[in-house]
Structure formats: C-alpha cells, structure tokens
Amino acid sequence: MNFKNVTVAGSGVLGSQIAFQTAFQGFKVTVYDLNDEVLAKAKAKFSELSECYKSDVNATQEQLDNTFNNLSYCSNLAEAVKDADLLIEAVPENVDIKNEFYKQLSQVAPAKTVFATNSSTLLPSQFAEVTGRPEKFLALHFANRIWDKNVAEIMGHSGTDQAVFDEVIEFSKAIGMLAFPLYKEQSGHLLNTMTWPMVLSAAELWAKDVSDPIHMDKMWMKVMGAEFGPFAIMDIVGLNTTYNIAKAYADFNPSMNLVLEKLDAEMLNQDRLGIQNGEGFYQYPNPVWEAADFLK
C-alpha cells in the first residue's frame, strides 16, 4: 500500500474522528479546514477523543502522544494536500459545497493523490468528473464513534480503478477498520440504507406530534436492545447532517417536508445542533438516555 500521508478535509464530527483514528494507527495526517478558528475547535475535539480512546480502547499515553505528533493542521488547501497520498473529504453533506470543494482541490492536489468522499448519502458518480481524476475517486464511509464502531464502507463508481479500490480497502484495514466493499453504487451505502429509514420514521412521528423523542428512543432501545435510539442517533451525527439527509429523502417522500420544517424551526434556528454543541434533542454531556435507569 502506497498511502503514508493522509489529508482529512473537514474537521466536524466524523472528520475529526477519521483524522484522529488514522493518526492513532501511525499515519501522518494533515487536518484541513476553512480557517484557524475552526481548526482550534478541532484540536479541542481531539483532546476529548483522547479521553474516549483511554476509556474505550485502553490507549496508553505513549500511543496518544504519538497520535498528536502525527497530526498537523492547515487552512490553506494547496499546502494541506501537497504531500497527500490520500485525501478524505468530510465537508458538509451538500452537493454545491462538495462540488466547489472538488473544483478547488482538483487544481492543487498532486497527480498521485487519491480522493475519497465520506459522504453518507451522495454517490461518487455525482462528483467523479469534477474531481478531474475519476479513476482515483471513490467513497470511503465511516460510522460514528469510529474507534468503537470500526467499520468502513468502500464504494466506487463505474470509472474507479480497481487497483485504487483495492488499495483503499487495505488502507481501511490498516487503520483498524472492518472493511465492507460495495459492488455497485448505493445511496446511503449499507449501514445508512438500513438505518436512516428507521431514524426518519421516528422523526416523522415527532414532526406529526404522535410521540416524543424520549419515549420513542426508550421503546427502540428496550425492544431492539440497541445502545441508543433514533433521536440520540440524530444528535450524534448532527442535526445539520440529519436535515440534509431528510432533504434528500423529501425528493421521493413528501412527508419529510414536515420533518424539515420542524427541524429548522425547533432545532437549527435555536442552535440546537446535537452533541457537537451540547444540545439537540438531549442535553450533553450526560444525556438522559445514558442514565442507568433510563429503561426502567
């Protein structure tokens, strides 16, 4: 495998986790985002993640010191990708934003750099041409809490070079993931194709005032034996991301427009974005769904 230097573009919920996990496994990682203020927030997230790694995977201080030594930060895209063997894009789930990003990236990235999108719902074929290197472009999607839910979904498009596809599978394994190849394009990959209909069904019940988040999460966790329910999932992935996914579903499910209206009015416009800023459907840290007696 030729990947040694990795650039992660976007330091949000998953971008920061991807960067930290990759650095934890010994790769040199450059974190790119729009400005130094955003990158400062990423550094704070990494401090929080280090505590998770201590408690959940028994990471030693030496391992964490090495992880931080493997991380660097840059708000200039050309500088951030100048040595990149692999660029993992984790910018907002918005077609226009991603198109603009790839237009800029294609002008400054070295010819060797493989581009991978972490998009949850959008297809590689939607962006392949604008990347300027369709044969070196594919999707590499991770689940939230990457250190614990260590799965990676690898999905190419019709023009992806098979050797690139195979190399990204090997990279996924090298950073501690269980690799799941997809043999054809599927919006939502495997995990989200199975997960989001459930999540958005719950959101629709909430939007129609049929029930409330606490009772629906409690029922799902109790009956399914799940670690958390659909509203906790929305908080974890971020309510901006949830909104964008619901917007995509609204193209073929008009009832999602009710979800969009209520998310916009009661969550986004109130700056309730989920776990990333401390308040969504629940208050963080220590949301009630984590309480020992929540299911009683």
Side-chain angles (χ1 to χ4, degrees):
M1 184 183 65
N2 296 317
F3 298 155
K4 293 182 177 62
N5 300 310
V6 179
T7 298
V8 177
S11 60
V13 173
L14 265 171
S16 59
Q17 292 182 25
I18 295 165
F20 198 83
Q21 176 70 18
T22 304
F24 183 76
Q25 294 293 341
F27 290 81
K28 296 295 184 183
V29 179
T30 300
V31 182
Y32 165 79
D33 220 315
L34 295 176
N35 55 57
D36 291 339
E37 182 181 355
V38 178
L39 289 172
K41 292 179 181 177
K43 294 176 186 179
K45 289 177 189 172
F46 293 148
S47 295
E48 294 172 8
L49 284 172
S50 67
E51 295 303 313
C52 295
Y53 275 63
K54 285 179 184 177
S55 61
D56 296 342
V57 297
N58 298 316
T60 65
Q61 190 58 50
E62 181 181 6
Q63 286 177 306
L64 293 170
D65 289 344
N66 289 336
T67 300
F68 282 101
N69 287 336
N70 286 333
L71 289 163
S72 59
Y73 309 86
C74 189
S75 58
N76 179 290
L77 184 58
E79 182 70 18
V81 299
K82 68 178 184 179
D83 297 319
D85 301 306
L86 173 66
L87 178 288
I88 302 174
E89 169 265 304
V91 307
E93 194 78 345
N94 177 286
V95 171
D96 293 336
I97 292 173
K98 288 186 187 292
N99 267 324
E100 183 58 32
F101 172 76
Y102 282 117
K103 284 179 185 176
Q104 296 177 25
L105 180 65
S106 66
Q107 296 171 8
V108 296
K112 69 174 183 176
T113 310
V114 170
F115 297 168
T117 178
N118 182 56
S119 174
S120 298
T121 59
L122 303 170
L123 298 173
S125 57
Q126 292 177 255
F127 308 100
E129 291 307 316
V130 76
T131 68
R133 59 191 72 192
E135 73 287 351
K136 290 185 176 180
F137 178 62
L138 75 176
L140 174 57
H141 180 256
F142 298 92
N144 193 56
R145 292 180 59 87
I146 186 174
W147 65 94
D148 182 36
K149 314 297 184 189
N150 59 322
V151 299
E153 299 176 279
I154 301 91
M155 177 172 69
H157 60 93
S158 61
T160 302
D161 186 311
Q162 184 64 44
V164 170
F165 187 87
D166 293 342
E167 192 166 28
V168 171
I169 289 176
E170 290 307 306
F171 167 77
S172 303
K173 295 175 181 177
I175 62 168
M177 298 295 105
L178 296 172
F180 295 90
L182 276 71
Y183 307 121
K184 61 189 298 185
E185 285 192 307
Q186 168 63 42
S187 178
H189 305 77
L190 303 177
L191 182 61
N192 284 328
T193 297
M194 295 185 281
T195 301
W196 278 101
M198 176 272 291
V199 172
L200 293 178
S201 291
E204 185 179 345
L205 292 170
W206 167 71
K208 292 178 176 178
D209 298 320
V210 173
S211 188
D212 61 85
I214 287 179
H215 282 101
M216 284 188 273
D217 275 3
K218 187 175 293 191
M219 174 180 282
W220 187 263
M221 292 166 68
K222 185 68 174 180
V223 175
M224 303 304 294
E227 184 178 357
F228 30 67
F231 293 91
I233 289 173
M234 287 186 261
D235 275 358
I236 290 166
V237 302
L239 294 173
N240 279 321
T241 297
T242 298
Y243 183 92
N244 288 327
I245 293 172
K247 191 173 182 180
Y249 273 76
D251 291 340
F252 55 86
N253 182 358
S255 64
M256 281 299 105
N257 288 309
L258 290 173
V259 174
L260 294 171
E261 289 172 12
K262 194 163 184 176
L263 279 173
D264 194 40
E266 297 189 16
M267 309 305 288
L268 304 186
N269 284 342
Q270 304 300 319
D271 199 35
R272 297 167 64 183
L273 305 180
I275 197 170
Q276 62 185 285
N277 73 337
E279 184 175 12
F281 290 103
Y282 298 93
Q283 300 278 340
Y284 298 88
N286 306 315
V288 296
W289 56 264
E290 283 187 341
D293 62 352
F294 183 63
L295 297 183
K296 295 182 179 177

